[in-house]
Amino acid sequence: MRYSKNWSDYELLETSCGEKLERWGNQALIRPDPQVIWKSKKVNKLWNFPDARYIRSNSGGGEWQFFSNVPPAWRIKYKDLTFNVKTMGFKHTGIFPEQAVNWDLTRYVIRKSGRNDIRVLNLFAYTGAATVACLKEGASVVHVDASKGMTQWAKENAISSGVADKPVRWIVDDCFKFVQREIRRENKYDIIILDPPSYGRGPKGGIWRIEDSLYDFVNLINQLLSDRALMVLLNSYTTGLSASVMKYILDDLIVKNKGGSVSADEIGLRETSGGILPCGASAIWIK
C-alpha cells in the first residue's frame, strides 16, 4: 500500500467503530468511514472534544454537528501546495489527503521527463488538487468536471497555490462527452488523470456508473494519448473495483496500444497510532 509521509497540516489521528478522527490544520473532525469495521480502543482525547462531527442519517445523507467556531473555510498546505477546505455535504472537505502520493508521483514524472511542453488532461477533476500539482511542475492542464461549483473551488485552490496564471483551461462539462469531442478535434495529451466517481450525473443529466462505463471510457482515452505520452493515472474509491481490475483494463487497452507497463495498488493514510487506513486504489500506466 502506498501512502504519503509528508503531510504536516493533515493528520489521521485514530480510527474506530466506523469513524475516523482527523486533524485538518487546527480543526479536529470526526467523519464516518465504511472501511473502519474494527472496534479499536479510542485513546485520543479528541474523540470527546472534536470541533465537528458528521452524523449519518438512517434515511441517507447526514449532517455536521459543530462543537466550536469552525470557520466556513480554512486553508491547509501540502509541501508547496495550498488548498481551501470546508465542511461540506456528505462528509467531505474538498480534499482527499490520501491522493498526495499520486500528486507526488505525477510531479515526479513531469520533472523526470525534462520537458516543458507536457499537456495534462485531468478528468473528474473535482477541486483541482492534481491540477494544481501539475501546474506547479510546469505542465499545462485541461481541467474538466461536471460541477460548476467544484470548478470554481479548483480555481480558488489555484489562486491559493500561486498558479492561477499558469496555462490551464477550466471546463465544466460531462467528461465522457468532452473526451469524444477532443477525439474529433484530434487533440492529444501526454498525461491523463481519471478520478471517476462510483456513480454520478453530468450537467445535462447523463448517468455515470463506473462498473458499466469504465472500460469503454479508457478505450476512448487511448485515442487522446500523444506519441510521447508519459502516464495514465486511474483512481477508484469503489471497494468493488480493485487495483487488479483497473490494472487489467490498462494492460488490455493502453499497454497493447502504447507499450509501457502498469502498476496498481491500494493507497491509504497512516494513523498516528501506526495503522494504515485503506482509502481506495490506483492503477498507473507509465511509458
Side-chain angles (χ1 to χ4, degrees), residues 12-270:
L12 179 61
L13 299 170
E14 278 185 357
T15 59
S16 182
C17 301
E19 293 181 310
K20 54 189 176 185
L21 174 64
E22 305 165 289
R23 179 181 62 81
W24 293 81
N26 295 324
Q27 305 298 318
L29 306 181
I30 297 175
R31 298 191 293 160
D33 192 303
Q35 297 284 350
V36 183
I37 63 173
W38 46 88
K39 300 177 182 179
S40 307
K41 184 178 179 181
K42 296 181 178 180
V43 176
N44 195 299
K45 294 180 180 179
L46 286 174
W47 284 109
N48 298 316
F49 304 101
D51 294 292
R53 185 176 201 158
Y54 188 86
I55 304 296
R56 285 200 183 279
S57 168
N58 292 330
S59 59
E63 63 180 4
W64 286 95
Q65 293 182 346
F66 297 98
F67 308 102
S68 70
N69 293 322
V70 176
W74 67 100
R75 291 179 176 178
I76 64 170
K77 292 182 68 69
Y78 178 76
K79 296 184 175 179
D80 56 348
L81 309 177
T82 301
F83 303 116
N84 300 279
V85 298
K86 58 186 175 183
T87 51
M88 55 187 293
F90 196 64
K91 78 177 182 179
H92 294 312
T93 61
I95 293 293
F96 294 98
E98 68 274 8
Q99 287 294 326
V101 291
N102 287 330
W103 308 334
D104 288 345
L105 174 62
T106 307
R107 294 183 69 170
Y108 170 77
V109 169
I110 294 170
R111 188 164 56 249
K112 184 182 177 183
S113 74
R115 294 167 50 189
N116 60 5
D117 62 346
I118 292 174
R119 300 189 69 210
V120 177
L121 176 60
N122 187 11
L123 297 167
F124 311 97
Y126 195 49
T127 60
T131 293
V132 169
C134 293
L135 291 172
K136 270 288 187 183
E137 214 56 52
S140 64
V141 182
V142 175
H143 171 113
V144 187
D145 195 272
S147 169
K148 184 177 180 179
M150 293 301 105
T151 303
Q152 179 58 40
W153 194 337
K155 293 179 181 180
E156 293 167 4
N157 284 333
I159 292 171
S160 297
S161 290
V163 293
D165 60 335
K166 303 299 182 181
V168 55
R169 291 176 59 208
W170 306 103
I171 307 294
V172 178
D173 202 352
D174 176 275
C175 289
F176 203 102
K177 293 177 180 178
F178 177 81
V179 166
Q180 291 174 320
R181 287 198 300 274
E182 287 292 89
I183 291 171
R184 292 195 294 269
R185 290 187 285 245
E186 298 185 352
N187 283 330
K188 302 291 182 180
Y189 297 89
D190 305 300
I191 294 175
I192 299 179
I193 300 168
L194 301 96
D195 209 345
S198 304
Y199 174 88
R201 291 183 179 272
K204 296 184 179 180
I207 295 176
W208 164 275
R209 291 186 181 88
I210 193 168
E211 293 87 348
D212 299 335
S213 306
L214 185 59
Y215 186 88
D216 292 337
F217 192 65
V218 174
N219 200 22
L220 289 177
I221 291 301
N222 243 330
Q223 301 175 59
L224 292 180
L225 290 171
S226 73
D227 292 337
R228 301 174 69 194
L230 298 170
M231 185 174 79
V232 173
L233 170 60
L234 173 60
N235 289 309
S236 172
Y237 303 96
T238 305
T239 55
L241 196 63
S242 69
S244 297
V245 168
M246 293 192 296
K247 182 180 187 303
Y248 191 103
I249 292 172
L250 296 188
D251 278 333
D252 194 45
L253 294 174
I254 297 182
V255 172
K256 289 181 180 179
N257 179 45
K258 291 288 188 181
S261 61
V262 178
S263 61
D265 200 356
E266 287 184 292
I267 60 175
L269 293 167
R270 178 173 284 282

Side-chain angles (χ1 to χ4, degrees), residues 1 3 12-13 15 38 268-278:
M1 184 183 294
Y3 59 92
L12 179 61
L13 299 170
T15 59
W38 46 88
L269 293 167
R270 178 173 284 282
E271 295 181 41
T272 302
S273 58
I276 302 176
L277 174 67

